[in-house]
Amino acid sequence: MACISSNFGTSLRIFYGHHRHLSRPLASIHSRCVFRNSSSFFHVSPLHSNPVHHYGHRDCCLFNGYRSFSVAFNSLSSDTGLTEEKVAVLVIGGGGREHAICYALKKSPSCDSVFCAPGNAGISSAGDATCISDLNIFDSSAVISFCQKWGIGLVVVGPEAPLVAGLANDLVKAGIPTFGPSSEAAALEGSKNFMKNLCDKYGIPTAKVLTLGKRDDYNLMATSDLIHVLPAVIMAALSNFYGFICGKEVYKGEHGAPIVIKADGLAAGKGVIVAMTLEEAYEAGEEASFFALVDGENAIPLESAQDHKRVGDGDTGPNTGGMGAYSPAPILTKELELLVMESIILPTVKGMSEEGCKFVGVLYAGLMIEKKSGLPKLIEYNVRFGDPECQVLMVRLESDLAQVLLAACKGELTGVSLNWSSDSAMVVVMASNGYPGSYEKGTVIQNLEEAEDVAPSIKIFHAGTALDSNGNFIATGGRVLGVTAKGRDLQEARDRAYQAVAEINWQGGFYRQDIGWRALPQKKPSPKA
């Protein structure tokens, strides 16, 4: 696998690939780190885990450490003899991921109360949190004031945008334990150039990178799956190294397809163009998602989960934020999990610490598992729980989420273990017609209570809903509902999820009918009646 990156404001990237027990208190330190990038930076580097190559003046680190956690908690004794902190939690965000986090926190024995800002109608109606719809999550002073007024002992930041904007920096500086990285550490997601430079410096296996010019220099035109036209300057740069692309054909050079073009900034999972046929992608390897909790120095893996990014059945059509997910994911074996931790996650945690950018939060690694070698390579990092993977993880989690996240905030993940249900879980996303393009808002959704009652262990997480004047749920977003079910195995979880979906009366929405097909290829879910 390799990648080419073009640094133009938010930069254009082109990738190709073939391919637990809480202990001593320790205050976390958040530090500032900046990788210096030039708009004219142009460089190709090999993908290896061998000795690191250095390219002149690179990563400039500014240390601005601070330590805190002055908030007092009431203590309870757990059955294990460990001290549990009775804590009020504020969850930042208002989507399906945040609903799932609120749901898990509500079940946490040590969680005194759960607030969610801004939240959504589904979170409030289910009683999973008290929603604070008028709290501006991009106004740090307002969030801090709320936390101080209501005695918030833990803030969990769900979406990436407030993290990149520096909300965690300000909260930690004010003495409020916050699960989520500083803005500097969030550059792992906010800037692909930052991430690629870190991987190159610390020998983390990932795609090769080539950085080209500024956004204004190019006029890229693309179809949903294939690059249709590439500017001559990019063609010239690629012709010897990657082959070239013309019309609907991908001509393979030294490295060949697939080639992916990706913007450098935040794109909500949709800023990707894959320059290849799907058949070529499947021959090269399979993508996988990997999650780990990080406390600045240590990391522990979460259970495996896998999502479906493409909008259409059979993984066709444009990328979305995610149309469904399942857990566990058969592709992520325990052997592969250990390899990912040793070769990708832990070197990243160590590298960020050595750069003065300690990472606290969730590392979400998008991986390519090469079919020939079986080895994982890093495609990109996100710095928060994946959505909709978070939904299936939270319904399987049996540990006290509030305590685990507090342990991460305090640098105490060493020795922490997570307990998981042996059941499988699946979530089917219901989205507004037209998504991921333009879509209609305000369509009425009915029979949600009936859907949750059709089988055991069904939970509907709301991502984009509100209540109209008649008390009906209406759709307000692209991805609207995450219909989630558990079962003894993945087949039972899928059957239950689709039974619930079939009960929902929503003329303005659609869903994929084949979630989990890679893990259960022998069967397909029945079409919606």
Side-chain angles (χ1 to χ4, degrees), residues 407-487:
C409 293
K410 297 178 180 181
E412 296 178 354
L413 281 181
T414 300
V416 170
S417 60
L418 300 176
N419 297 320
W420 300 91
S421 168
S422 60
D423 288 343
S424 297
M426 177 173 289
V427 56
V428 178
V429 170
M430 301 187 75
S432 296
N433 290 336
Y435 175 81
S438 59
Y439 52 84
E440 182 182 359
K441 295 182 179 181
T443 54
V444 176
I445 307 168
Q446 297 176 319
N447 289 3
L448 293 181
E449 289 186 8
E450 292 83 348
E452 286 194 326
D453 290 339
V454 299
S457 303
I458 291 176
K459 175 67 177 180
I460 297 177
F461 295 110
H462 290 238
T465 64
L467 294 174
D468 66 12
S469 58
N470 296 317
N472 296 313
F473 281 107
I474 59 173
T476 60
R479 292 186 298 162
V480 177
L481 301 171
V483 183
T484 310
K486 288 198 301 181

Side-chain angles (χ1 to χ4, degrees), residues 100-298:
I101 293 171
C102 290
Y103 168 79
L105 287 167
K106 187 75 173 180
K107 296 188 303 179
S108 297
S110 68
C111 193
D112 183 57
S113 56
V114 184
F115 298 88
C116 187
N120 63 47
I123 296 174
S124 179
S125 297
D128 291 321
T130 300
C131 293
I132 315 298
S133 59
D134 59 350
L135 181 59
N136 182 358
I137 62 176
F138 291 96
D139 182 347
S140 294
S141 60
V143 176
I144 291 169
S145 295
F146 178 88
C147 292
Q148 293 171 339
K149 178 179 179 180
W150 293 97
I152 301 298
L154 171 65
V155 176
V156 182
V157 185
E160 61 273 23
L163 293 170
V164 173
L167 178 60
N169 301 56
D170 297 331
L171 287 167
V172 173
K173 189 174 183 179
I176 301 168
T178 302
F179 183 78
S182 66
S183 60
E184 296 77 24
L188 276 174
E189 176 172 359
S191 170
K192 299 302 182 293
N193 283 329
F194 177 99
M195 184 271 286
K196 288 294 181 178
N197 286 340
L198 186 85
C199 290
D200 176 55
K201 185 173 183 180
Y202 291 95
I204 299 164
T206 186
K208 297 180 182 179
V209 59
L210 179 63
T211 304
L212 302 169
K214 297 181 180 179
R215 179 181 294 275
D216 294 340
D217 296 338
Y218 305 105
N219 178 24
L220 181 68
M221 300 172 59
T223 64
S224 60
D225 288 324
L226 300 174
I227 298 175
H228 191 61
V229 176
L230 278 177
V233 64
I234 295 182
M235 294 291 288
L238 297 183
S239 59
N240 292 327
F241 188 72
Y242 282 91
F244 62 95
I245 303 162
C246 179
K248 294 185 177 181
E249 298 294 331
V250 177
Y251 296 91
K252 298 182 180 179
E254 178 186 349
H255 301 284
I259 297 174
V260 177
I261 293 183
K262 189 171 183 68
D264 187 48
L266 299 178
K270 299 185 284 292
V272 179
I273 300 166
V274 183
M276 55 181 296
T277 66
L278 291 173
E279 289 75 17
E280 287 175 304
Y282 301 153
E283 290 174 1
E286 186 171 348
E287 292 188 20
S289 303
F290 190 95
F291 299 88
L293 301 182
V294 183
D295 68 2
E297 298 285 352
N298 311 290

